[in-house]
Amino acid sequence: MAAFNRVESKKRIEDAVYNEIVPAGEGWMYDLEPGQTLRIVDLEGNQAADTLFFDADNPEDHYSAVRTIAGQGNIYLTTGSILRAESGNALVEIVADTCGRHDTLGGSCSAQSNTVRYSHDKLHMHNCRDTYMLQLAKRDGGYSKRDLAPNVNFFMNVPVTPDGGLEFADGVSGPGCYVEMTAKRRTTVLISNCPQLNNPCNAYNPTPIQLLIWND
Ligand SMILES: [Zn+2]
C-alpha cells in the first residue's frame, strides 16, 4: 500500500464564505468560481462523499476517472491530484488532505447495485444515484441520467489487491478528516452524502459532512 500523503490546510474556518452541514442521505450542488476552494469535512469519520464535477460553462464535459487516473498515473486521489474532465481540462486540484487517500473506482450506490451487492430487499433503500437525480432535477440546465459519470468517493477506502481485485474495506478516514480542492475553472460540484447501510466503508453508519468554501 502506498504511503498516505496527509497535508493540512492553512485556511481558517472564520474566513470561509460558506459553511453548511449535509446529513447522510442528502445531496448538494454548487457552482465554484475559479480560485474558490471547497473543503469537505468527514465530521464523524468513515463516511463516503460521492462526488461528481462538471464544467459549469459546458456541463456535458463532466469529471472523467480515466482522464484523471491516466493524467497522474495513480488510481488514488490526494494532495496534488488534478481532477480532469472528459476533454482533459482541469476542473479542480486537491490542495490539502488530512485523510490521505480517496477512491476513484468504486462508483456510487444505486437501487440496482444494492440488490446485486446485498439482497433484493434492499431495492427501496436510499442510494446515491437517486440523490444525484434529485439534485439535478432542481437545475434548469438539462442534466439527465446520462450526465452521471463514474464518480469520486471522498474518504472511501477501496484498496486494489495485488491481483487487481477491488475491496470495499473499513474506512481510512477519521472524525474531522477533510479534503480541500481549488477550482481551476467554473466547476459545478454535485455531492451525494452516501446513505449506504450495507457496507463497511462507513462502518454501517452514515454520518454528516460539512462543506466550507473560501474565495481565495
Ligand atoms: Zn452511496
Side-chain angles (χ1 to χ4, degrees):
M1 188 183 294
F4 281 51
N5 179 29
R6 296 190 168 97
V7 176
E8 290 191 16
S9 170
K10 294 191 170 60
K11 295 196 183 300
R12 302 185 312 172
I13 288 176
E14 54 267 36
D15 296 331
V17 296
Y18 184 95
N19 186 345
E20 190 87 26
I21 306 278
V22 177
E26 301 273 323
W28 183 81
M29 196 169 180
Y30 192 95
D31 293 336
L32 292 177
E33 295 298 324
Q36 281 194 316
T37 297
L38 167 68
R39 180 187 295 179
I40 308 173
V41 187
D42 185 0
L43 285 173
E44 298 182 31
N46 280 353
Q47 182 55 9
D50 291 51
T51 306
L52 273 170
F53 301 88
F54 304 84
D55 181 335
D57 297 315
N58 179 22
E60 284 190 3
D61 199 21
H62 53 66
Y63 166 76
S64 164
V66 172
R67 282 286 195 170
T68 299
I69 291 165
Q72 68 173 13
N74 194 294
I75 58 166
Y76 301 120
L77 302 178
T78 187
T79 307
S81 291
I82 295 174
L83 281 58
R84 295 186 183 279
E86 289 285 345
S87 63
N89 286 340
L91 295 171
V92 301
E93 177 176 357
I94 297 179
V95 294
D97 178 14
T98 63
C99 174
R101 198 173 85 182
H102 306 270
D103 166 64
T104 55
L105 301 176
S108 71
C109 60
S110 65
Q112 290 77 12
S113 74
N114 280 344
T115 64
V116 171
R117 281 183 185 150
Y118 310 113
S119 65
H120 192 71
D121 63 2
K122 310 298 185 193
L123 181 69
H124 68 281
M125 292 179 77
H126 286 114
N127 64 78
C128 286
R129 185 156 284 249
D130 287 350
T131 301
Y132 282 153
M133 290 311 300
L134 279 170
Q135 289 297 312
L136 292 179
K138 294 179 185 170
R139 285 268 174 136
D140 293 330
Y143 289 95
S144 70
K145 244 181 197 171
R146 60 193 289 274
D147 296 303
L148 294 182
N151 55 284
V152 175
N153 289 308
F154 288 114
F155 310 115
M156 194 158 103
N157 185 28
V158 185
V160 177
T161 63
D163 59 356
L166 290 184
E167 287 178 0
F168 287 75
D170 190 9
V172 290
S173 184
C177 281
Y178 60 80
V179 59
E180 209 170 273
M181 61 212 78
T182 300
K184 310 296 277 184
R185 61 181 58 239
R186 286 189 69 237
T187 299
T188 303
V189 184
L190 172 61
I191 298 177
S192 165
N193 191 20
C194 186
Q196 185 55 253
L197 287 167
N198 305 294
N199 191 313
C201 288
N202 59 13
Y204 307 98
N205 176 33
T207 50
I209 55 171
Q210 182 180 23
L211 302 170
L212 295 151
I213 296 172
W214 290 264
N215 281 337
D216 50 33

